[in-house]
Amino acid sequence: MRAAVAGPIVLVGAGNMGGAMLSGWLGSGRDGSSIIVLDPSPSEAIKAKLAEKGASSYAVAPDGMIAGILFLAVKPQMMDTVLPTVARLVGPQTVVVSVAAGTTLASLSKHLGDAAMVRAMPNTPAMIGRGITGAYGNARVTDEQRGQVTDLLKVSGPVEWVSSEADIDAVTAVSGSGPAYVFYLVECMAEAGRKLGLPADLAMRLARETVSGAGELMRRSPDDAAQLRKNVTSPGGTTAAALSVLMADEGMQPLFDTALAAARKRAEELGS
Ligand SMILES: NC(=O)c1ccc[n+]([C@@H]2O[C@H](COP(=O)([O-])OP(=O)(O)OC[C@H]3O[C@@H](n4cnc5c(N)ncnc54)[C@H](OP(=O)(O)O)[C@@H]3O)[C@@H](O)[C@H]2O)c1
């Protein structure tokens, strides 16, 4: 049963992430008339989707409108420009949701006041309904609003609520930025295959299908990642030879520790 929202869902910014969320909302049977998009230049695809489902879009919000959920999906660097223009949409019943990396609740409050607010961090597989979102809500967010926000976010995959705002920067480092690490893994595997003498395009096909197939296997299997790895590693075999390099003291773990620490630091800098 979907939790009722006190007013329209107002999406500010219908780009990559906002557009993906919007597609999920409209595709999951949500009433189009309950959704308002604010974007100065929505794409033709977004305009067609809105028209088909009876949802409206404006460059600037009509006078007197108060949002039930104000969903902010503009770039972090646009926030100081956009927030003053949408502050009047926030009423006592409104919950504000921001997906902007690094934008803190304190910085949102400067423009939007002491509102119920959620910081959420989705990732790009949201575009195919296969994302995962970390979310943190301030003390003003009621259980009912948390349910409403979970309903909105879960169209793109599971929603994990964290207990401190600082954890959102760590979520950003793991899953928000994570798809890029996986794509880079494919690039590295393909390049290593090319160096072993395979044609570059064949090496890329092998790497790409291996990573996506292994991901799908992991999704469907009850086993955790470590068990799945052990399942394909015969003692003394080829996989064991490669893993002895990747799992060495100077192998992938310290590299990932450093990389994710850099991502979290950058998220903290964006929020300061
Ligand atoms: N993409 C990701 O992987 C990802 C993951 C997690 C979180 N996020 C967060 O999602 C947010 C959006 O990222 P994105 O990749 O979707 O960016 P994007 O594609 O550039 O989308 C932003 C949208 O906001 C529009 N916009 C610009 N000024 C506006 C205004 N004054 N009022 C309303 N809309 C305005 C932009 O229009 P124009 O194109 O015409 O400027 C664009 O359609 C960011 O804060 C990012 O941190 C993104």
Side-chain angles (χ1 to χ4, degrees):
M1 174 82 172
R2 182 172 282 163
V5 181
I9 297 158
V10 180
L11 170 67
V12 186
N16 292 316
M17 190 48 72
M21 299 304 304
L22 178 69
S23 298
W25 301 339
L26 294 174
S28 67
R30 194 172 280 273
D31 178 8
S33 67
S34 69
I35 298 173
I36 311 277
V37 170
L38 296 183
D39 191 306
S41 51
S43 69
E44 291 305 317
I46 293 282
K47 280 197 241 174
K49 221 171 272 176
L50 294 173
E52 183 195 332
K53 300 286 184 176
S56 320
S57 91
Y58 301 91
V60 178
D63 284 343
M65 180 187 284
I66 298 292
I69 298 179
L70 183 66
F71 198 100
L72 303 168
V74 294
K75 294 279 191 201
Q77 55 271 30
M78 289 299 298
M79 281 292 180
D80 283 339
T81 310
V82 172
L83 292 177
T85 70
V86 296
R88 64 188 165 83
L89 305 186
V90 178
Q93 310 292 320
T94 307
V95 56
V96 177
V97 181
S98 165
V99 297
T103 302
T104 60
L105 296 185
S107 69
L108 294 177
S109 292
K110 275 187 213 150
H111 296 284
L112 305 181
D114 193 16
M117 290 186 188
V118 172
R119 248 182 95 178
M121 182 44 59
N123 61 7
T124 47
M127 289 172 189
I128 55 162
R130 289 293 317 280
I132 184 161
T133 301
Y136 169 77
N138 69 7
R140 297 194 64 113
V141 177
T142 63
D143 287 347
E144 193 185 8
Q145 287 172 323
R146 183 184 275 242
Q148 294 162 359
V149 173
T150 301
D151 278 347
L152 274 195
L153 295 172
K154 76 180 184 195
V155 296
S156 67
V159 181
E160 301 282 351
W161 288 87
V162 297
S163 56
S164 87
E165 187 177 355
D167 283 347
I168 288 292
D169 291 333
V171 168
T172 304
V174 177
S175 56
S177 302
Y181 316 152
V182 177
F183 301 140
Y184 185 56
L185 173 68
V186 171
E187 292 178 68
C188 288
M189 286 173 62
E191 176 61 8
R194 188 191 66 77
K195 287 174 179 159
L196 292 177
L198 293 174
D201 59 340
L202 171 60
M204 178 52 80
R205 286 198 300 281
L206 293 171
R208 185 181 172 124
E209 288 305 312
T210 299
V211 170
S212 55
E216 185 62 23
L217 175 64
M218 183 163 57
R219 187 170 86 93
R220 294 191 197 185
S221 170
D223 292 337
D224 62 22
Q227 187 57 50
L228 288 166
R229 168 175 55 75
K230 286 174 193 154
N231 293 348
V232 291
T233 312
S234 319
T238 57
T239 311
L243 287 175
S244 72
V245 177
L246 295 174
M247 296 176 76
D249 288 348
E250 300 301 311
M252 263 175 92
Q253 187 63 61
L255 211 50
F256 264 83
D257 294 345
T258 309
L260 269 66
R264 182 172 69 175
K265 180 166 173 285
R266 185 65 190 132
E268 288 166 353
E269 286 166 3
L270 287 170
S272 62

Coordinates of all heavy atoms in Angstrom, one line a residue, residues 60-154:
V60 N 9.3 27.6 -14.3 CA 9.2 28.2 -12.9 C 7.9 27.7 -12.3 O 6.9 27.7 -13.0 CB 9.2 29.7 -13.0 CG1 9.1 30.4 -11.7 CG2 10.4 30.2 -13.7
A61 N 7.9 27.4 -11.0 CA 6.7 26.9 -10.4 C 5.6 27.9 -10.3 O 5.8 29.1 -10.1 CB 7.0 26.5 -8.9
P62 N 4.3 27.5 -10.6 CA 3.2 28.4 -10.5 C 3.0 29.0 -9.1 O 3.4 28.3 -8.1 CB 2.0 27.5 -10.8 CG 2.5 26.3 -11.4 CD 3.9 26.1 -10.9
D63 N 2.5 30.2 -9.0 CA 2.3 30.8 -7.7 C 1.4 29.9 -6.8 O 0.4 29.3 -7.3 CB 1.6 32.2 -7.9 CG 2.6 33.2 -8.4 OD1 3.8 33.0 -8.2 OD2 2.1 34.3 -8.9
G64 N 1.7 29.9 -5.5 CA 0.8 29.3 -4.6 C 1.0 27.8 -4.5 O 0.4 27.1 -3.6
M65 N 1.9 27.2 -5.3 CA 2.1 25.7 -5.2 C 2.9 25.4 -4.0 O 3.9 26.0 -3.7 CB 2.8 25.2 -6.5 CG 3.0 23.7 -6.5 SD 4.0 23.3 -7.9 CE 2.8 23.3 -9.2
I66 N 2.4 24.4 -3.2 CA 3.2 23.8 -2.1 C 3.4 22.3 -2.4 O 2.5 21.6 -2.7 CB 2.4 24.0 -0.8 CG1 2.2 25.4 -0.4 CG2 3.2 23.3 0.4 CD1 3.4 26.2 -0.1
A67 N 4.7 21.9 -2.3 CA 5.0 20.5 -2.7 C 4.7 19.6 -1.5 O 4.9 20.0 -0.3 CB 6.5 20.4 -3.0
G68 N 4.2 18.4 -1.8 CA 4.2 17.3 -0.8 C 5.6 16.8 -0.6 O 6.2 16.7 0.5
I69 N 6.3 16.5 -1.8 CA 7.7 16.1 -1.8 C 8.4 17.0 -2.8 O 8.0 17.1 -4.0 CB 7.9 14.6 -2.2 CG1 7.2 13.7 -1.1 CG2 9.3 14.3 -2.3 CD1 7.3 12.2 -1.4
L70 N 9.4 17.7 -2.4 CA 10.2 18.5 -3.3 C 11.5 17.7 -3.5 O 12.3 17.5 -2.6 CB 10.6 19.8 -2.6 CG 11.4 20.8 -3.5 CD1 10.5 21.3 -4.7 CD2 11.8 22.0 -2.6
F71 N 11.6 17.2 -4.8 CA 12.7 16.3 -5.1 C 13.8 17.0 -5.9 O 13.5 17.4 -7.1 CB 12.1 15.1 -5.9 CG 13.0 13.9 -5.9 CD1 12.8 12.8 -5.1 CD2 14.1 13.8 -6.8 CE1 13.6 11.7 -5.1 CE2 14.9 12.7 -6.8 CZ 14.7 11.6 -6.0
L72 N 14.9 17.2 -5.3 CA 16.0 18.1 -5.9 C 17.0 17.2 -6.7 O 17.7 16.4 -6.0 CB 16.7 18.9 -4.9 CG 15.8 19.8 -4.0 CD1 16.5 20.4 -2.8 CD2 15.2 21.0 -4.9
A73 N 17.0 17.3 -8.0 CA 18.0 16.5 -8.8 C 18.7 17.4 -9.8 O 18.9 17.0 -10.9 CB 17.2 15.4 -9.5
V74 N 19.2 18.6 -9.3 CA 20.0 19.4 -10.1 C 21.5 19.2 -9.7 O 21.7 18.6 -8.6 CB 19.7 20.9 -10.0 CG1 18.3 21.2 -10.6 CG2 19.7 21.4 -8.6
K75 N 22.4 19.7 -10.4 CA 23.8 19.5 -10.1 C 24.1 20.3 -8.8 O 23.6 21.3 -8.6 CB 24.7 20.1 -11.2 CG 24.6 19.3 -12.5 CD 25.5 18.1 -12.5 CE 25.7 17.5 -13.9 NZ 26.1 16.1 -13.8
P76 N 25.0 19.7 -8.0 CA 25.3 20.4 -6.7 C 25.7 21.9 -6.9 O 25.3 22.7 -6.1 CB 26.5 19.6 -6.1 CG 26.5 18.3 -6.8 CD 25.8 18.5 -8.1
Q77 N 26.5 22.2 -8.0 CA 26.9 23.6 -8.2 C 25.8 24.5 -8.6 O 25.9 25.7 -8.6 CB 28.1 23.6 -9.2 CG 27.9 23.0 -10.5 CD 28.2 21.5 -10.5 OE1 28.1 20.8 -9.5 NE2 28.6 21.0 -11.7
M78 N 24.6 23.9 -8.9 CA 23.4 24.7 -9.3 C 22.6 25.1 -8.1 O 21.6 25.9 -8.2 CB 22.5 24.0 -10.3 CG 23.1 23.8 -11.7 SD 23.4 25.4 -12.4 CE 21.7 26.1 -12.5
M79 N 22.8 24.4 -7.0 CA 21.9 24.5 -5.8 C 21.7 25.9 -5.3 O 20.6 26.3 -5.1 CB 22.4 23.6 -4.6 CG 22.1 22.2 -4.8 SD 20.3 21.9 -4.7 CE 20.3 20.1 -5.0
D80 N 22.8 26.7 -5.2 CA 22.6 28.1 -4.7 C 21.8 28.9 -5.6 O 21.2 29.9 -5.2 CB 24.0 28.7 -4.5 CG 24.7 28.1 -3.2 OD1 23.9 27.6 -2.3 OD2 25.9 28.2 -3.0
T81 N 21.8 28.6 -6.9 CA 20.9 29.3 -7.8 C 19.5 28.9 -7.8 O 18.5 29.6 -7.8 CB 21.4 29.1 -9.3 OG1 22.8 29.4 -9.3 CG2 20.7 30.0 -10.3
V82 N 19.3 27.5 -7.7 CA 18.0 26.9 -7.8 C 17.2 27.0 -6.4 O 16.0 27.3 -6.5 CB 18.1 25.5 -8.2 CG1 16.8 24.7 -8.1 CG2 18.7 25.4 -9.6
L83 N 17.9 26.8 -5.3 CA 17.1 26.8 -4.0 C 16.3 28.0 -3.7 O 15.1 27.9 -3.3 CB 18.0 26.4 -2.9 CG 18.6 25.0 -2.9 CD1 19.6 24.8 -1.8 CD2 17.5 23.9 -2.9
P84 N 16.8 29.2 -3.9 CA 16.0 30.4 -3.7 C 14.7 30.5 -4.5 O 13.7 31.0 -4.1 CB 16.9 31.6 -4.0 CG 18.3 31.0 -3.9 CD 18.2 29.6 -4.3
T85 N 14.8 29.8 -5.7 CA 13.6 29.9 -6.6 C 12.5 28.8 -6.2 O 11.4 28.9 -6.6 CB 14.0 29.7 -8.0 OG1 14.4 28.3 -8.2 CG2 15.1 30.6 -8.5
V86 N 12.9 27.8 -5.4 CA 11.9 26.8 -5.0 C 11.6 26.8 -3.5 O 10.7 26.1 -3.1 CB 12.4 25.4 -5.4 CG1 12.6 25.3 -6.9 CG2 13.7 25.0 -4.7
A87 N 12.2 27.7 -2.8 CA 12.0 27.8 -1.3 C 10.5 28.0 -1.0 O 9.9 27.5 0.0 CB 12.8 28.9 -0.7
R88 N 9.8 28.8 -1.9 CA 8.4 29.0 -1.6 C 7.5 27.8 -1.8 O 6.3 27.8 -1.4 CB 7.9 30.2 -2.4 CG 7.9 29.9 -3.9 CD 7.6 31.2 -4.7 NE 7.9 31.0 -6.1 CZ 7.1 30.4 -7.0 NH1 6.0 30.0 -6.7 NH2 7.5 30.3 -8.3
L89 N 8.0 26.7 -2.3 CA 7.2 25.5 -2.5 C 7.2 24.7 -1.2 O 6.6 23.6 -1.2 CB 7.8 24.6 -3.6 CG 7.9 25.3 -5.0 CD1 8.4 24.3 -6.0 CD2 6.6 25.9 -5.4
V90 N 8.0 25.1 -0.2 CA 8.2 24.3 1.0 C 7.2 24.8 2.1 O 7.3 25.9 2.5 CB 9.6 24.3 1.5 CG1 9.8 23.5 2.8 CG2 10.6 23.8 0.5
G91 N 6.2 23.9 2.4 CA 5.3 24.2 3.5 C 5.5 23.3 4.7 O 6.5 22.5 4.7
P92 N 4.7 23.4 5.7 CA 4.9 22.6 7.0 C 4.8 21.1 6.7 O 5.5 20.3 7.4 CB 3.8 23.0 7.9 CG 3.1 24.2 7.3 CD 3.6 24.3 5.8
Q93 N 4.1 20.6 5.7 CA 3.9 19.2 5.4 C 4.9 18.7 4.4 O 4.9 17.5 4.1 CB 2.5 18.9 4.9 CG 1.4 19.5 5.6 CD 1.3 18.8 7.0 OE1 1.5 17.6 7.1 NE2 1.0 19.6 8.0
T94 N 5.8 19.6 3.8 CA 6.7 19.2 2.7 C 7.9 18.4 3.2 O 8.4 18.8 4.3 CB 7.2 20.4 2.0 OG1 6.1 21.2 1.6 CG2 8.0 20.1 0.8
V95 N 8.2 17.3 2.5 CA 9.5 16.7 2.8 C 10.4 17.0 1.6 O 10.0 16.8 0.4 CB 9.4 15.2 3.2 CG1 8.7 14.4 2.1 CG2 10.8 14.6 3.4
V96 N 11.6 17.5 1.8 CA 12.6 17.8 0.7 C 13.5 16.6 0.6 O 14.0 16.1 1.6 CB 13.4 19.1 1.1 CG1 14.4 19.4 0.0 CG2 12.5 20.3 1.3
V97 N 13.7 16.2 -0.6 CA 14.6 15.1 -0.9 C 15.7 15.6 -1.9 O 15.4 16.1 -2.9 CB 13.9 13.9 -1.6 CG1 14.9 12.7 -1.8 CG2 12.8 13.4 -0.7
S98 N 17.0 15.5 -1.5 CA 18.0 15.9 -2.4 C 18.9 14.7 -2.8 O 19.3 14.0 -1.9 CB 18.9 17.0 -1.7 OG 20.1 17.1 -2.5
V99 N 19.2 14.6 -4.1 CA 20.1 13.5 -4.5 C 21.5 14.1 -4.9 O 22.4 13.4 -5.4 CB 19.6 12.7 -5.7 CG1 18.3 11.9 -5.3 CG2 19.3 13.5 -6.9
A100 N 21.7 15.4 -4.6 CA 22.9 16.1 -5.0 C 24.1 15.6 -4.2 O 24.1 15.7 -2.9 CB 22.8 17.6 -4.9
A101 N 25.2 15.1 -4.8 CA 26.3 14.6 -4.1 C 27.0 15.7 -3.3 O 27.2 16.8 -3.8 CB 27.3 14.0 -5.2
G102 N 27.3 15.4 -2.1 CA 28.0 16.4 -1.3 C 27.2 17.6 -0.7 O 27.7 18.3 0.1
T103 N 26.0 17.8 -1.2 CA 25.2 18.9 -0.7 C 24.6 18.6 0.7 O 23.8 17.6 0.7 CB 24.1 19.3 -1.7 OG1 24.8 19.6 -2.9 CG2 23.3 20.5 -1.2
T104 N 25.0 19.2 1.7 CA 24.6 18.9 3.1 C 23.2 19.4 3.4 O 22.7 20.3 2.8 CB 25.6 19.4 4.1 OG1 25.5 20.9 4.0 CG2 27.0 18.9 4.0
L105 N 22.6 18.8 4.4 CA 21.3 19.3 4.8 C 21.4 20.7 5.4 O 20.5 21.5 5.2 CB 20.7 18.3 5.9 CG 20.4 16.9 5.4 CD1 19.7 16.1 6.5 CD2 19.5 16.9 4.1
A106 N 22.6 21.0 6.0 CA 22.8 22.3 6.6 C 22.7 23.4 5.5 O 22.1 24.4 5.6 CB 24.1 22.4 7.4
S107 N 23.4 23.0 4.3 CA 23.4 24.0 3.2 C 22.0 24.1 2.6 O 21.6 25.2 2.1 CB 24.5 23.7 2.2 OG 24.1 22.5 1.5
L108 N 21.2 23.0 2.6 CA 19.9 23.1 2.0 C 19.0 24.0 3.0 O 18.2 24.8 2.5 CB 19.2 21.7 1.9 CG 19.8 20.8 0.9 CD1 19.1 19.4 1.0 CD2 19.7 21.3 -0.5
S109 N 19.2 23.9 4.3 CA 18.5 24.6 5.3 C 18.7 26.1 5.2 O 17.8 26.9 5.5 CB 18.9 24.2 6.7 OG 18.4 22.9 7.0
K110 N 19.9 26.5 4.7 CA 20.1 27.9 4.6 C 19.1 28.6 3.7 O 18.7 29.7 3.9 CB 21.5 28.2 4.0 CG 22.6 28.1 5.0 CD 23.9 28.5 4.3 CE 25.1 27.7 5.0 NZ 26.2 27.5 4.2
H111 N 18.6 27.9 2.7 CA 17.7 28.4 1.7 C 16.2 28.0 2.0 O 15.3 28.7 1.8 CB 18.0 28.0 0.3 CG 19.3 28.5 -0.2 ND1 19.5 29.8 -0.6 CD2 20.5 27.9 -0.3 CE1 20.7 30.0 -1.0 NE2 21.4 28.8 -0.8
L112 N 16.1 26.7 2.6 CA 14.8 26.1 2.7 C 14.2 26.2 4.1 O 13.1 25.7 4.3 CB 14.8 24.7 2.1 CG 15.3 24.5 0.7 CD1 15.2 23.1 0.3 CD2 14.5 25.4 -0.3
G113 N 15.0 26.6 5.1 CA 14.6 26.7 6.5 C 14.6 25.3 7.1 O 15.2 24.4 6.6
D114 N 13.9 25.3 8.2 CA 14.0 24.1 9.1 C 12.9 23.0 8.7 O 12.0 22.8 9.4 CB 13.7 24.6 10.5 CG 14.0 23.6 11.6 OD1 14.7 22.6 11.2 OD2 13.5 23.7 12.7
A115 N 13.1 22.5 7.5 CA 12.1 21.6 6.9 C 12.5 20.1 7.2 O 13.7 19.8 7.5 CB 12.0 21.8 5.4
A116 N 11.6 19.2 7.0 CA 11.9 17.8 6.9 C 12.7 17.5 5.6 O 12.3 17.9 4.6 CB 10.6 17.0 6.9
M117 N 13.9 16.9 5.8 CA 14.8 16.8 4.6 C 15.4 15.4 4.6 O 15.8 14.9 5.7 CB 15.9 17.8 4.7 CG 15.4 19.2 4.5 SD 16.9 20.2 4.4 CE 16.1 21.8 4.4
V118 N 15.6 14.9 3.4 CA 16.3 13.6 3.2 C 17.4 13.8 2.2 O 17.2 14.5 1.2 CB 15.3 12.6 2.6 CG1 16.0 11.3 2.2 CG2 14.2 12.3 3.6
R119 N 18.6 13.3 2.5 CA 19.7 13.3 1.5 C 19.7 11.8 1.0 O 19.8 10.9 1.8 CB 21.0 13.6 2.2 CG 21.6 14.9 1.8 CD 22.9 15.1 2.4 NE 24.0 14.6 1.6 CZ 25.3 14.7 2.0 NH1 25.6 15.2 3.1 NH2 26.3 14.3 1.2
A120 N 19.6 11.7 -0.3 CA 19.6 10.4 -0.9 C 20.7 10.2 -1.9 O 21.1 11.2 -2.6 CB 18.3 10.1 -1.5
M121 N 21.3 9.1 -2.0 CA 22.4 8.9 -3.0 C 22.1 7.6 -3.8 O 22.3 6.5 -3.4 CB 23.7 8.7 -2.3 CG 24.9 8.5 -3.2 SD 25.0 9.6 -4.6 CE 25.0 11.2 -3.9
P122 N 21.4 7.8 -5.0 CA 21.2 6.7 -5.9 C 22.4 6.5 -6.8 O 23.5 7.1 -6.6 CB 20.0 7.2 -6.8 CG 20.1 8.7 -6.7 CD 20.9 9.1 -5.5
N123 N 22.3 5.5 -7.7 CA 23.4 5.4 -8.7 C 22.8 5.1 -10.1 O 21.6 4.9 -10.2 CB 24.4 4.3 -8.3 CG 23.9 2.9 -8.1 OD1 22.7 2.7 -8.4 ND2 24.6 2.0 -7.6
T124 N 23.7 5.2 -11.1 CA 23.1 5.2 -12.5 C 22.4 4.0 -12.9 O 21.5 4.1 -13.8 CB 24.2 5.6 -13.5 OG1 25.4 4.8 -13.3 CG2 24.6 7.0 -13.5
P125 N 22.6 2.8 -12.4 CA 21.8 1.7 -12.8 C 20.3 1.9 -12.4 O 19.4 1.2 -12.9 CB 22.3 0.5 -12.0 CG 23.8 0.8 -11.8 CD 23.8 2.3 -11.6
A126 N 20.0 3.0 -11.7 CA 18.6 3.5 -11.5 C 17.9 3.6 -12.9 O 16.7 3.4 -13.0 CB 18.6 4.8 -10.8
M127 N 18.7 3.9 -13.9 CA 18.1 4.1 -15.3 C 17.4 2.9 -15.8 O 16.6 3.0 -16.7 CB 19.2 4.6 -16.2 CG 19.7 6.0 -16.0 SD 21.1 6.3 -17.0 CE 21.7 7.9 -16.3
I128 N 17.9 1.7 -15.3 CA 17.2 0.5 -15.7 C 16.5 -0.2 -14.5 O 16.3 -1.4 -14.5 CB 18.2 -0.5 -16.4 CG1 19.4 -0.8 -15.5 CG2 18.6 0.1 -17.7 CD1 20.2 -2.0 -15.9
G129 N 16.2 0.6 -13.5 CA 15.5 0.1 -12.3 C 16.4 -0.9 -11.5 O 15.9 -1.7 -10.7
R130 N 17.7 -0.8 -11.7 CA 18.7 -1.7 -11.0 C 19.7 -1.0 -10.1 O 20.8 -1.4 -10.0 CB 19.3 -2.6 -12.0 CG 18.5 -3.7 -12.7 CD 18.0 -4.7 -11.7 NE 19.1 -5.1 -10.8 CZ 20.1 -6.0 -11.1 NH1 20.1 -6.6 -12.3 NH2 21.0 -6.3 -10.3
G131 N 19.3 0.2 -9.6 CA 20.2 1.0 -8.8 C 20.1 0.5 -7.3 O 19.4 -0.5 -7.0
I132 N 20.8 1.2 -6.5 CA 20.6 1.1 -5.0 C 20.8 2.5 -4.5 O 21.7 3.3 -5.0 CB 21.6 0.0 -4.4 CG1 21.3 -0.1 -2.9 CG2 23.1 0.4 -4.6 CD1 21.8 -1.4 -2.3
T133 N 20.0 2.8 -3.5 CA 20.0 4.2 -2.9 C 20.3 4.1 -1.4 O 19.6 3.4 -0.7 CB 18.7 4.9 -3.2 OG1 18.4 4.9 -4.6 CG2 18.7 6.3 -2.7
G134 N 21.2 5.0 -1.0 CA 21.4 5.2 0.5 C 20.7 6.5 0.8 O 20.6 7.4 0.0
A135 N 20.0 6.5 2.0 CA 19.2 7.7 2.4 C 19.4 8.0 3.8 O 19.6 7.1 4.7 CB 17.8 7.5 2.0
Y136 N 19.4 9.3 4.1 CA 19.5 9.8 5.5 C 18.4 10.9 5.7 O 18.3 11.8 4.9 CB 20.8 10.3 5.9 CG 20.8 11.1 7.2 CD1 20.8 10.3 8.4 CD2 20.7 12.5 7.3 CE1 20.8 11.0 9.6 CE2 20.7 13.1 8.5 CZ 20.7 12.4 9.7 OH 20.6 13.0 10.9
G137 N 17.6 10.8 6.7 CA 16.6 11.8 7.0 C 16.9 12.5 8.3 O 17.3 11.9 9.3
N138 N 16.6 13.9 8.3 CA 16.8 14.6 9.6 C 15.7 14.3 10.6 O 14.7 13.6 10.2 CB 17.0 16.1 9.3 CG 15.7 16.8 8.8 OD1 14.7 16.2 8.8 ND2 15.9 18.1 8.4
A139 N 15.8 14.9 11.8 CA 14.9 14.5 12.8 C 13.4 15.0 12.5 O 12.5 14.4 13.1 CB 15.3 15.1 14.1
R140 N 13.2 15.9 11.6 CA 11.9 16.3 11.3 C 11.1 15.4 10.4 O 9.9 15.5 10.2 CB 12.0 17.7 10.6 CG 12.5 18.8 11.5 CD 12.2 20.1 11.0 NE 10.8 20.4 10.9 CZ 10.2 21.3 11.6 NH1 10.9 22.1 12.5 NH2 8.9 21.5 11.5
V141 N 11.8 14.4 9.8 CA 11.2 13.5 8.9 C 10.3 12.5 9.7 O 10.9 11.8 10.5 CB 12.2 12.7 8.0 CG1 11.5 11.7 7.1 CG2 13.0 13.7 7.2
T142 N 9.0 12.5 9.4 CA 8.2 11.5 10.2 C 8.3 10.1 9.6 O 8.7 10.0 8.5 CB 6.7 12.0 10.1 OG1 6.3 11.9 8.7 CG2 6.5 13.4 10.6
D143 N 7.8 9.2 10.3 CA 7.8 7.8 9.8 C 7.0 7.7 8.5 O 7.3 7.0 7.5 CB 7.2 6.8 10.8 CG 8.1 6.6 12.0 OD1 9.3 6.9 11.9 OD2 7.7 6.0 13.0
E144 N 5.9 8.5 8.5 CA 5.0 8.5 7.3 C 5.8 9.1 6.1 O 5.7 8.5 5.0 CB 3.8 9.3 7.6 CG 2.7 9.2 6.5 CD 1.5 10.1 6.8 OE1 1.6 11.0 7.6 OE2 0.5 9.9 6.0
Q145 N 6.5 10.2 6.3 CA 7.3 10.8 5.2 C 8.4 9.8 4.8 O 8.7 9.7 3.6 CB 7.9 12.1 5.7 CG 6.8 13.2 5.8 CD 7.3 14.5 6.4 OE1 8.2 14.4 7.3 NE2 6.9 15.6 5.9
R146 N 9.0 9.1 5.7 CA 10.1 8.2 5.4 C 9.5 7.1 4.5 O 10.1 6.7 3.5 CB 10.6 7.6 6.7 CG 11.8 6.6 6.4 CD 12.2 6.0 7.7 NE 13.1 6.8 8.5 CZ 14.4 6.5 8.8 NH1 14.8 5.3 8.4 NH2 15.1 7.3 9.4
G147 N 8.3 6.7 4.8 CA 7.6 5.7 3.9 C 7.3 6.3 2.5 O 7.5 5.6 1.5
Q148 N 6.9 7.5 2.5 CA 6.6 8.1 1.2 C 7.9 8.2 0.3 O 7.9 8.0 -0.9 CB 6.0 9.6 1.4 CG 4.7 9.6 2.0 CD 4.3 11.0 2.6 OE1 5.1 11.9 2.5 NE2 3.2 11.1 3.2
V149 N 9.0 8.6 1.0 CA 10.2 8.8 0.3 C 10.8 7.4 -0.2 O 11.3 7.3 -1.3 CB 11.3 9.6 1.2 CG1 12.6 9.6 0.5 CG2 10.8 11.0 1.4
T150 N 10.6 6.4 0.7 CA 11.1 5.1 0.3 C 10.3 4.6 -0.9 O 10.9 4.1 -1.9 CB 10.9 4.1 1.5 OG1 11.6 4.5 2.6 CG2 11.3 2.7 1.1
D151 N 9.0 4.9 -0.9 CA 8.2 4.5 -2.1 C 8.7 5.2 -3.4 O 8.8 4.5 -4.4 CB 6.7 5.0 -1.9 CG 5.9 4.1 -1.1 OD1 6.4 2.9 -0.9 OD2 4.8 4.5 -0.7
L152 N 9.1 6.4 -3.3 CA 9.6 7.2 -4.5 C 11.0 6.6 -4.9 O 11.2 6.4 -6.1 CB 9.9 8.6 -4.1 CG 8.7 9.6 -4.2 CD1 9.3 11.0 -4.2 CD2 7.9 9.4 -5.5
L153 N 11.9 6.4 -3.9 CA 13.2 6.0 -4.3 C 13.3 4.5 -4.7 O 14.2 4.1 -5.5 CB 14.2 6.2 -3.1 CG 14.4 7.6 -2.6 CD1 15.2 7.7 -1.3 CD2 15.1 8.4 -3.7
K154 N 12.4 3.7 -4.2 CA 12.6 2.2 -4.5 C 12.2 1.8 -5.9 O 12.4 0.7 -6.3 CB 11.8 1.4 -3.5 CG 10.3 1.3 -3.6 CD 9.7 0.5 -2.5 CE 8.2 0.3 -2.8 NZ 7.5 -0.2 -1.6

